[in-house]
Amino acid sequence: MRNEKFRIRSIQSFFHTVLQNSEFCETVIDNNLHVTNWKRKQGCKCQYKHIVDWCGCSPNVFKPEDWPRLQATEDRPYYFARKFEPIINQQIIEQVETWIYGPRKGVTNLDSYWQNDYHFLDKSPLVEDSRISIYESFARLGLKQLQAINKACKVKFLSVVEATLYNMNDVFKGLLILYKAQTSDGNKPVILETQVRPIQHYIVYKGIGPTGRLKFLQVGSDYDLKEQIFRNFGRILGPFSDLGLIHKWGPGVQFSATFVWVDPTNTVAGSYEVKIEAGNQVLYHKPTFRQPLCPGTWSLKLLYEWELVAETLFLVIPLSVYNGHEVSSEQVKFLHNGPGQPYVDHDFTNVEALLGYTNKSAQQRQALSNSRRYGKDLREWTDSLVSSFWSVQDTCFVNQPLHPSGGALCLDLELDPCHLTSWSSHANDPKSVIRNFDVNNKIT
């Protein structure tokens, strides 16, 4: 067992070794009994070199387009398949279960999927301060919406309990923030959940020549090279995030384009010429900028022959929390004032002139003023930024039988109990309930 401490993915060899050295060694079947979704062009790009000294490969997640491969296993001795991951694609899982057990009728929320992204009791791994900062902002915005409906309902945000990713029909529909709030009557805190949805800021100005191939631009972090997605599903970015860009193209000829990254002061952080190969492409571009990034609204611009083709705006969230504690008036000067030198060692004066960013004094003064905000002032600035990139969709309350109000917030506010909604993390989700099997392998 001591040797297993020094293995990479020891689970993939330990049980096999024990079996071969046991009384069951003659019962081993020379068949791995499973079908693996290998797409080696995507899964074998040496993306694990930071872990091992060999070029590791990893299978891809099954999607509906892989269905013929699964169907072809019907008459073969296969008992397992990998990989399935509902946050990437739940439809294929439902397709397999329907194939085995038949269609399920009248099942609520069959096309919905919830995945926990944060819980206040989880201490490892540490949650990025940018996530806590924006989760708290979401909760405050949810309460502001409620108080706008009923000004007599005085309520104070206390703390975030959970954050949940919410998908419907395999499309990201937003985040669900579960939090505690306190009413002015001093009663026991209520627990609310607010649904927020991202607002897209992607604009195509004109298709010039081969740039008509463009499908979309998306900025985020934690890129999964194999699945070609950002694992930071909410694409929550802070001053210490490593920015990246996914750009997708349809069929057409090879050409070169320029990506320009612009910070909130209209300073060009970087300008890069990128080759777009012929044919359908999903490509990833990752600049390396000095940190901390200046918080506020950034833009990523696509230029072709130095004409603006498209751009996407994205938010770098200010930190109201740093190392798990509320930021101080001294810390914000470091956290929110940019890197203090160019983002990269290159002069982009000509690019800024081309974009019309010759006079940036007003933006720089505003950024300096923003970098001094803390406490209530910082929270209000954060909320104003967040409300430009996320919209509050709905809020519900968690039923608490022992609470004087049953858990409801301000009885004249017509909020639904979370378990009766279709979207809440407390909503009914029969497909996710673990149940027993009878002797005929039927779900009971």
Side-chain angles (χ1 to χ4, degrees):
M1 287 295 292
R2 282 199 302 268
N3 292 336
E4 297 302 317
K5 294 180 180 179
F6 303 100
R7 288 182 184 266
I8 297 293
R9 298 181 176 88
S10 60
I11 194 171
Q12 296 186 11
S13 60
F14 174 74
F15 294 105
H16 313 71
T17 304
V18 171
L19 183 61
Q20 289 282 26
N21 289 277
S22 73
E23 60 185 286
F24 302 105
C25 61
E26 294 183 359
T27 68
V28 174
I29 298 174
D30 188 18
N31 186 317
N32 61 19
L33 303 180
H34 70 258
V35 57
T36 306
N37 193 25
W38 289 112
K39 294 181 181 178
R40 297 188 185 273
K41 285 186 177 181
Q42 290 175 222
C44 294
K45 293 190 175 181
C46 299
Q47 60 263 47
Y48 302 110
K49 291 289 281 186
H50 63 292
I51 300 175
V52 294
D53 58 359
W54 39 268
C55 189
C57 296
S58 180
N60 284 73
V61 172
F62 280 105
K63 296 178 181 177
E65 57 262 32
D66 304 308
W67 179 244
R69 186 170 189 179
L70 289 169
Q71 276 188 311
T73 67
E74 187 169 16
D75 298 323
R76 300 180 186 179
Y78 289 153
Y79 296 89
F80 311 98
R82 61 192 293 253
K83 296 178 177 179
F84 292 97
E85 190 174 359
I87 192 65
I88 294 178
N89 192 276
Q90 182 178 245
Q91 179 186 339
I92 190 67
I93 299 174
E94 177 60 26
Q95 204 166 344
V96 169
E97 292 190 349
T98 300
W99 185 31
I100 297 172
Y101 301 113
R104 292 185 283 188
K105 298 179 180 179
V107 178
T108 58
N109 291 322
L110 196 60
D111 298 320
S112 298
Y113 177 71
W114 294 264
Q115 181 166 301
N116 182 266
D117 199 45
Y118 165 78
H119 194 289
F120 80 102
L121 291 176
D122 291 336
K123 303 304 179 185
S124 178
L126 293 175
V127 180
E128 295 174 359
D129 294 319
S130 56
R131 295 197 181 200
I132 301 300
S133 298
I134 202 168
Y135 294 159
E136 291 183 351
S137 178
F138 290 151
R140 291 193 299 267
L141 291 172
L143 292 177
K144 284 180 183 177
Q145 185 186 73
L146 296 180
Q147 291 178 94
I149 297 171
N150 184 351
K151 291 182 170 56
C153 183
K154 303 298 182 183
V155 62
K156 179 177 70 173
F157 164 73
L158 294 180
S159 63
V160 173
V161 178
E162 293 183 56
T164 303
L165 302 168
Y166 175 48
N167 282 8
M168 182 180 289
N169 293 313
D170 290 318
V171 175
F172 178 66
K173 292 297 183 181
L175 284 158
L176 311 177
I177 309 301
L178 193 74
Y179 55 97
K180 293 182 180 180
Q182 179 76 61
T183 53
S184 57
D185 57 17
N187 277 333
K188 179 182 175 182
V190 295
I191 301 175
L192 306 175
E193 189 164 47
T194 291
Q195 178 190 7
V196 293
R197 185 172 295 180
I199 300 171
Q200 302 301 326
H201 293 277
Y202 169 54
I203 306 167
V204 177
Y205 295 104
K206 53 185 174 181
I208 306 172
T211 63
R213 294 173 53 194
L214 180 66
K215 297 297 184 183
F216 72 79
L217 303 170
Q218 189 179 75
V219 174
S221 68
D222 304 329
Y223 182 64
D224 183 332
L225 185 65
K226 177 169 60 72
E227 300 299 336
Q228 298 178 323
I229 60 168
F230 289 121
R231 286 284 174 176
N232 177 358
F233 293 99
R235 293 185 285 123
I236 296 168
L237 304 170
F240 299 99
S241 295
D242 293 322
L243 304 180
L245 170 71
I246 298 175
H247 46 118
K248 185 175 182 179
W249 304 86
V253 300
Q254 176 183 299
F255 70 102
S256 293
T258 302
F259 290 126
V260 180
W261 300 78
V262 183
D263 85 352
T265 68
N266 285 347
T267 295
V268 171
S271 177
Y272 304 88
E273 184 175 312
V274 177
K275 181 185 290 185
I276 313 299
E277 300 289 349
N280 292 307
Q281 300 287 336
V282 178
L283 303 174
Y284 178 60
H285 162 63
K286 185 179 184 302
T288 302
F289 295 142
R290 290 189 176 95
Q291 296 174 341
L293 306 174
C294 182
T297 300
W298 283 61
S299 68
L300 180 283
K301 301 178 187 293
L302 169 65
L303 283 72
Y304 177 68
E305 295 182 347
W306 296 107
E307 285 195 59
L308 182 60
V309 173
E311 75 173 328
T312 184
L313 306 182
F314 61 96
L315 175 63
V316 173
I317 186 78
L319 300 182
S320 56
V321 173
Y322 184 57
N323 289 335
H325 302 282
E326 183 176 1
V327 295
S328 68
S329 57
E330 290 302 313
Q331 288 172 328
V332 292
K333 296 175 185 177
F334 155 69
L335 295 171
H336 298 160
N337 203 25
Q341 55 183 313
Y343 290 98
V344 297
D345 292 325
H346 193 84
D347 183 4
F348 296 112
T349 304
N350 291 338
V351 180
E352 291 179 353
L354 178 74
L355 296 173
Y357 299 151
T358 52
N359 186 356
K360 303 181 291 182
S361 56
Q363 289 83 0
Q364 290 171 339
R365 284 195 301 271
Q366 184 62 59
L368 180 61
S369 175
N370 290 337
S371 71
R372 295 171 178 170
R373 296 175 185 257
Y374 69 98
K376 181 181 178 182
D377 191 23
L378 173 59
R379 290 191 292 272
E380 289 178 349
W381 176 46
T382 300
D383 292 351
S384 69
L385 288 170
V386 172
S387 62
S388 295
F389 286 86
W390 295 81
S391 64
V392 174
Q393 298 295 300
D394 206 349
T395 297
C396 62
F397 72 91
V398 176
N399 191 41
Q400 299 182 74
L402 299 180
H403 193 282
S405 68
L409 173 69
C410 302
L411 295 178
D412 49 351
L413 263 178
E414 296 182 359
L415 292 184
D416 291 324
C418 290
H419 69 279
L420 295 182
T421 70
S422 62
W423 56 266
S424 168
S425 61
H426 287 251
N428 189 29
D429 187 22
K431 69 179 180 301
S432 298
V433 176
I434 299 175
R435 289 169 286 178
N436 296 323
F437 287 79
D438 65 17
V439 292
N440 296 314
N441 289 331
K442 297 293 185 181
I443 297 177
T444 61

